[in-house]
Amino acid sequence: MSTTTHSQVIVVGAGVVGLATAVELAARGHEVTVLDPAPASGATHHAGGMLAPAAEMVYQQDPLFPLMRASSAWYPELIDLVSAHTDVPTGYRAEGTLVVAADRADAQHLTELADYQSLHGMEVERITVREARRSEPLLSPRLAGAVSIPGDTQVFPRQWAEALASAAQALGVRLFRTPAQAIDASTGTVTTPVGDFQADDVVLAAGLGARDIDWAESAGLARMPLQLRPVYGDILRLRVPDHLQPLLTRVVRGFVEDRPVYLIPRFDGTLAIGATTREDSLTSAQAGGVYTLLRDAIRLLPAIEECEFLEASAGARPGTPDDLPYLGRVGAKLVVSTGYFRHGILLTALAARCTRELIEHAESSIDLTACSPLRHFKETP
C-alpha cells in the first residue's frame, strides 16, 4: 500500500482495550480502522480476566477505585453490545468471587482487607469456612477464613478478544496487520511500513508498545511523556479431568502466608492460576513463580494435583509510576489510552466509553483528571 488510507478514527492496538474502543466507536456510526501486527497477542493473551473492583482493591490507590467501579458497572452494556453483533462467546460469568485465607495470619489480613473494601463502598459478605465449602466443596477443610464478593464477575480474555474482533468486523471495522511507527498528533497521519493512514482522530491503545511509537514532537512536547514499564505476571492453565468437573463454579482468590493467588474456572473445562508480579528481564514464565502458584493453589484446592498441566506463560503489563492509566487527549487529533497495568481487562469498558466521548467531544461520564497522559511529563530546563 503506497497511497494514504483515510478513516474517521484509527485505533492503534488490537488488545481488548483497542478492540473494545473500535466496537464502541463503530456502533455509534464512526468509520474505524485498527492497526496491529499481532492482535490480542500481548497482555490480553496472558490476562486472568477478573472484573473485580472489590477483590482487586489495593491499599492507598484511592484514585483508581472510582474508575474500577464505573467500568464494572458499564461492562454488562459492553457485553450486550458485542453479543448483538457476534455469536462468538465472551466467556462472561457472574457467579461472584470467594476470597479465602490459608492460616490465621491470612485470616487477619482478609478481615482487614474486607474492612477496607467496605469502607470504600464495596459489597463484601463475611461468611464462615463451612459456608465457603458448601458453595465450593473441593476447597481445603483447613482454611482459616472466607468472604464472598457477589458483585465481581469475569471474562475469558482470549475468547473476549475473539468476540470483540468478530463484532468489530461485523460493524465494518477494518483491521490492518501492520505496526504504527509514528503518529502526527496535529494531522492524524499514522506512518506504517506499508504506507500512511490518515484519520480525523487517532487512538493510541498499543499497551506497552505505545512507548515505542513516535508522536511527542508533533504534539508540541520535547520528549515522550509516557512513563511505561513492563510488569510481568505468570499465569498457568490446567485442564480439569471429567471426574472433577466442576472443580470450581466461581473465582477463588486466596492469601497463603500473605501471598496472593487466584483460581479462575473457565467454561471450556480449564482452570487458570495466577497472581505473581515481577519487574525483571525474564519474558517467559519464571520457574519459581510456577512453583509458588501451584504450591499455593494446591493448598487452597488440593484436587488441583489431579489436573493436567497445559501451559505456563507470562505477559508484560504496561505499568505507570502511580498505577493509573494514561487516558486523555494529547493533541488536536490524538487520544492516548494505555497504561492499564493489572486492570486492563476490568477497565476495558471505561476505556472504550471514555475514548468514544473524547472523540465525540462529549461530556465525560467520569472525571479523568487523574489519568492525564501528561501528568508525569516535566519540561527539561
Side-chain angles (χ1 to χ4, degrees):
M1 188 187 82
S2 58
T3 59
T4 300
T5 299
H6 185 273
S7 302
Q8 284 181 290
V9 184
I10 292 172
V11 178
V12 177
V16 290
V17 168
L19 290 171
T21 299
V23 168
E24 177 92 12
L25 288 165
R28 291 287 292 255
H30 296 272
E31 182 189 24
V32 183
T33 294
V34 175
L35 307 177
D36 194 312
S41 62
T44 292
H45 186 74
H46 307 280
M50 294 169 292
L51 311 177
E56 287 283 323
M57 287 184 71
V58 176
Y59 292 110
Q60 297 182 336
Q61 288 192 343
D62 294 28
L64 188 58
F65 303 157
L67 306 180
M68 296 164 67
R69 284 195 297 263
S71 197
S72 178
W74 295 337
Y75 234 102
E77 183 178 337
L78 179 59
I79 294 287
D80 289 344
L81 174 61
V82 171
S83 298
H85 294 281
T86 181
D87 293 327
V88 177
T90 63
Y92 181 70
R93 301 181 61 162
E95 296 93 344
T97 297
L98 287 179
V99 189
V100 299
D103 59 28
R104 286 187 179 182
D106 293 321
Q108 181 61 34
H109 180 173
L110 188 59
T111 297
E112 293 169 357
L113 180 59
D115 289 341
Y116 188 72
Q117 291 163 332
S118 297
L119 181 65
H120 287 82
M122 301 297 186
E123 183 183 2
V124 179
E125 299 177 358
R126 301 175 190 277
I127 61 174
T128 65
V129 171
R130 178 172 295 183
E131 288 171 322
R133 297 191 68 241
R134 189 177 300 129
S135 59
E136 299 294 344
L138 294 180
L139 285 172
S140 169
R142 301 178 66 183
L143 297 176
V147 300
S148 173
I149 307 178
D152 283 358
T153 59
Q154 64 150 307
V155 291
F156 185 178
R158 297 180 189 182
Q159 280 189 342
W160 182 218
E162 289 179 16
L164 285 164
S166 177
Q169 183 179 30
L171 286 162
V173 174
R174 294 180 297 174
L175 171 64
F176 290 83
R177 291 176 177 264
T178 185
Q181 297 168 315
I183 301 170
D184 191 314
S186 61
T187 67
T189 301
V190 182
T191 303
T192 80
V194 298
D196 290 346
F197 293 78
Q198 191 160 13
D200 300 328
D201 277 292
V202 179
V203 179
L204 179 53
L208 192 62
R211 63 182 181 172
D212 301 321
I213 298 172
D214 182 17
W215 59 267
E217 185 177 351
S218 70
L221 302 173
R223 57 183 173 79
M224 170 62 73
L226 307 182
Q227 295 186 24
L228 295 168
R229 72 189 194 282
V231 183
Y232 291 94
D234 302 313
I235 189 164
L236 316 180
R237 193 162 66 96
L238 313 179
R239 178 176 289 117
V240 180
D242 290 344
H243 73 277
L244 287 177
Q245 294 284 2
L247 185 65
L248 290 175
T249 63
R250 73 205 69 205
V251 172
V252 170
R253 306 175 72 102
F255 295 103
V256 180
E257 298 176 7
D258 211 35
R259 294 181 299 272
V261 62
Y262 56 71
L263 299 82
I264 313 170
R266 307 293 197 200
F267 283 130
D268 64 355
T270 62
L271 181 78
I273 303 173
T276 65
T277 297
R278 53 185 172 81
E279 299 189 40
D280 53 31
S281 59
L282 186 62
T283 59
S284 56
Q286 182 192 57
V290 173
Y291 169 75
T292 299
L293 289 175
L294 281 175
R295 181 191 61 197
D296 291 349
I298 289 169
R299 184 163 171 183
L300 302 181
L301 192 70
I304 284 175
E305 290 186 313
E306 299 183 48
C307 293
E308 177 186 357
F309 190 92
L310 296 178
E311 177 185 295
S313 66
R317 298 163 292 193
T320 66
D322 54 12
D323 295 339
L324 288 166
Y326 291 126
L327 178 56
R329 187 173 286 278
V330 296
K333 296 195 173 185
L334 179 59
V335 172
V336 169
S337 177
T338 187
Y340 293 95
F341 188 33
R342 297 172 56 249
H343 308 293
I345 306 297
L346 169 58
L347 293 179
T348 292
L350 176 136
R353 175 180 293 213
C354 291
T355 301
R356 189 255 304 160
E357 291 169 344
L358 287 164
I359 296 295
E360 295 177 345
H361 298 278
E363 183 179 355
S364 181
S365 298
I366 192 169
D367 183 5
L368 294 176
T369 303
C371 302
S372 169
L374 304 181
R375 68 186 183 275
H376 298 130
F377 178 75
K378 294 180 180 178
E379 293 286 354
T380 54

